[in-house]
């Protein structure tokens, strides 16, 4: 199970990210979900260093999903900055729907590229 | 000439001007955004000032550190935008410990390109790009930098936003100066003051 695709949820709000995590646990409990949401002090915002920390916690491959504006920019920035050898991909789409499709697809054994194809069709 | 000390002075000056304009930036952003630009810029530049006491071997090192600090501390869209700007300007400054007008302009052009790429934005969309790109496009040493920047900021007032949070305000975004344009003019004025 170690090559399962993990998800990184980037949101301005910790509550939004936690809510998505709760929802996905029901759908695909085996898929690890990392949160990079809100600022250090819990306030609303996004922070690229938290996304990079989430990437570090990933085992082999992960898909990053974001909500709006700076979350999207920071997600793309984190992918640009990441220099390791894990497969980390960002997908720009509606965060709840994308997380749903991605976690179920990951639970079904798809890799990152297959999941992105799946998302494009969704 | 922009020296390392001059660059530090510019950033301190930018921080104090952002602090002085914090409420204005927030009010503009409240009118056509989410109302946090003043707070975010203030938090970011306070963090920048805190790293200025360190020693830097080159303008490139300093610019990179400023960019990384802004990326991790701002919290809003200005973080990745200004952060990318200073990080991308860094290789252009390279190992130089002082930069003439030409090199500063080249580094700022890199910054401007980085902002456009990160924000996927073009001139005319009522964003900070409307200050950065036209300011640099035909900049000459003889220009009145402050007057040119003030004019460009003023011109964003009549624009309709088609990018960023303000774009959701559509026609209602007209009549308000873009807060990112204003903060950009503050940062650029502070840097250009040290180049003169």
């Amino acid at each position: 199970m170690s090559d399962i695709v993990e998800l990184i949820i980037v949101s301005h709000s910790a509550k939004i990210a936690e809510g998505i995590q709760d929802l996905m646990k029901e759908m695909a409990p085996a898929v690890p979900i990392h949160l990079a949401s809100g600022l250090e002090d819990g306030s609303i915002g996004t922070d690229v260093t938290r996304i990079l920390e989430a990437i570090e916690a990933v085992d082999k491959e992960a898909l990053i999903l974001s909500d709006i504006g700076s979350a999207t920019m920071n997600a793309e920035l984190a992918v640009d900055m990441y220099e390791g050898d894990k497969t980390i991909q960002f997908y720009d789409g509606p965060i709840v729907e994308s997380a749903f499709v991605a976690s179920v697809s990951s639970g079904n054994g798809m890799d990152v590229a297959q999941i992105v194809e799946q998302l494009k069709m969704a | 000439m922009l020296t390392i000390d001059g660059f530090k002075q510019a950033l301190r000056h930018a921080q104090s001007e952002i602090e002085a304009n914090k409420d204005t930036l927030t009010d503009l952003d409240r009118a056509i955004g989410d109302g946090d630009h003043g707070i975010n810029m203030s938090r970011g530049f306070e963090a920048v000032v805190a790293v200025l006491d360190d020693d830097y071997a080159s303008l490139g090192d300093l610019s990179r550190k400023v960019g990384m600090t802004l990326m991790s501390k701002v919290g809003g869209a200005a973080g990745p935008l200004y952060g990318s700007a200073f990080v991308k300007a860094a290789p252009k400054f390279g190992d130089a410990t002082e930069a003439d007008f030409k090199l500063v302009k080249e580094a700022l052009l890199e910054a401007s390109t980085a902002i456009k790429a990160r924000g996927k934005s073009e001139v005319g969309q009522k964003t900070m790009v409307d200050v950065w790109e036209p300011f640099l496009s035909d900049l000459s040493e003889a220009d009145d930098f402050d007057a040119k920047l003030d004019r460009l900021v003023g011109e964003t007032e009549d624009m309709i936003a088609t990018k960023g949070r303000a774009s959701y305000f559509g026609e209602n975004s007209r009549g308000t100066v873009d807060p990112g344009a204003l903060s950009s003019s503050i940062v650029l004025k502070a840097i250009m003051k040290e180049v003169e």
Side-chain angles (χ1 to χ4, degrees):
Chain A
M1 285 303 278
S2 64
D3 53 359
I4 196 163
V5 175
E6 303 177 30
L7 295 190
I8 297 172
I9 303 294
V10 182
S11 171
H12 283 67
S13 155
K15 285 180 185 169
I16 288 178
E18 286 161 14
I20 291 171
Q21 187 177 40
D22 289 345
L23 190 57
M24 297 317 139
K25 266 186 202 154
E26 299 225 312
M27 287 307 301
V31 178
I33 299 192
H34 307 272
L35 309 184
S37 56
L39 301 182
E40 234 172 356
D41 61 2
S43 59
I44 297 278
T46 58
D47 173 355
V48 69
T49 55
R50 294 168 76 88
I51 307 172
L52 287 166
E53 282 167 18
I55 291 174
E56 287 310 316
V58 167
D59 190 25
K60 278 187 184 147
E61 43 183 352
L63 187 71
I64 306 183
L65 302 169
S66 68
D67 56 11
I68 46 174
S70 68
T72 304
M73 268 191 260
N74 273 321
E76 291 174 336
L77 180 59
V79 173
D80 288 352
M81 287 170 76
Y82 175 63
E83 288 174 339
D85 52 10
K86 297 168 197 168
T87 303
I88 306 295
Q89 194 161 343
F90 168 67
Y91 182 77
D92 190 4
I95 190 165
V96 177
E97 290 84 344
S98 301
F100 180 86
V101 171
S103 57
V104 172
S105 303
S106 174
N108 286 340
M110 289 188 183
D111 64 18
V112 165
Q114 288 169 324
I115 293 173
V116 168
E117 282 311 305
Q118 197 74 22
L119 285 166
K120 283 178 183 164
M121 287 190 299
Chain B
M1 279 292 187
L2 184 71
T3 61
I4 292 174
D5 279 345
F7 198 1
K8 288 182 175 181
Q9 184 53 36
L11 292 159
R12 288 195 178 94
H13 185 209
Q15 189 268 334
S16 64
E17 284 299 304
I18 284 163
E19 215 49 45
N21 287 280
K22 187 174 168 179
D23 291 344
T24 307
L25 291 170
T26 290
D27 289 346
L28 291 172
D29 196 31
R30 191 171 292 130
I32 58 169
D34 49 4
D36 61 3
H37 192 55
I39 296 155
N40 288 346
M41 289 297 286
S42 164
R43 180 172 50 217
F45 273 82
E46 262 177 34
V48 165
V49 165
V51 301
L52 294 181
D53 290 333
D54 296 344
D55 287 328
Y56 295 92
S58 66
L59 288 167
D61 283 352
L62 176 54
S63 191
R64 190 173 303 105
K65 181 69 181 182
V66 169
M68 296 302 289
T69 303
L70 290 171
M71 275 180 194
S72 63
K73 294 294 178 193
V74 170
L81 293 170
Y82 281 110
S84 298
F86 282 98
V87 167
K88 293 287 183 182
K92 191 55 85 171
F93 283 126
D95 293 335
T97 54
E98 52 180 36
D100 59 11
F101 176 82
K102 183 169 170 286
L103 181 56
V104 171
K105 184 177 169 179
E106 283 172 7
L108 292 176
L109 275 167
E110 289 290 324
S112 178
T113 303
I115 289 170
K116 283 181 71 179
R118 183 61 61 204
K120 299 187 178 76
S121 186
E122 299 292 333
V123 162
Q125 296 183 314
K126 196 179 179 104
T127 71
M128 58 171 74
V129 171
D130 290 305
V131 164
W132 282 83
E133 186 160 291
F135 178 67
L136 291 164
S137 64
D138 61 347
L139 188 68
S140 99
E141 234 167 323
D143 287 347
D144 181 340
F145 306 132
D146 285 10
K148 190 174 180 183
L149 287 163
D150 286 342
R151 176 175 61 75
L152 291 169
V153 171
E155 283 174 4
T156 66
E157 187 168 350
D158 281 340
M159 294 180 184
I160 295 174
T162 55
K163 200 81 196 181
R165 205 74 71 90
S167 64
Y168 302 111
F169 289 75
E171 180 69 37
N172 288 334
S173 66
R174 204 198 287 275
T176 302
V177 162
D178 180 64
L182 179 59
S183 65
S184 292
S185 78
I186 290 171
V187 172
L188 286 167
K189 276 181 188 176
I191 293 171
M192 297 315 293
K193 188 172 152 57
E194 297 299 325
V195 181
E196 283 176 303

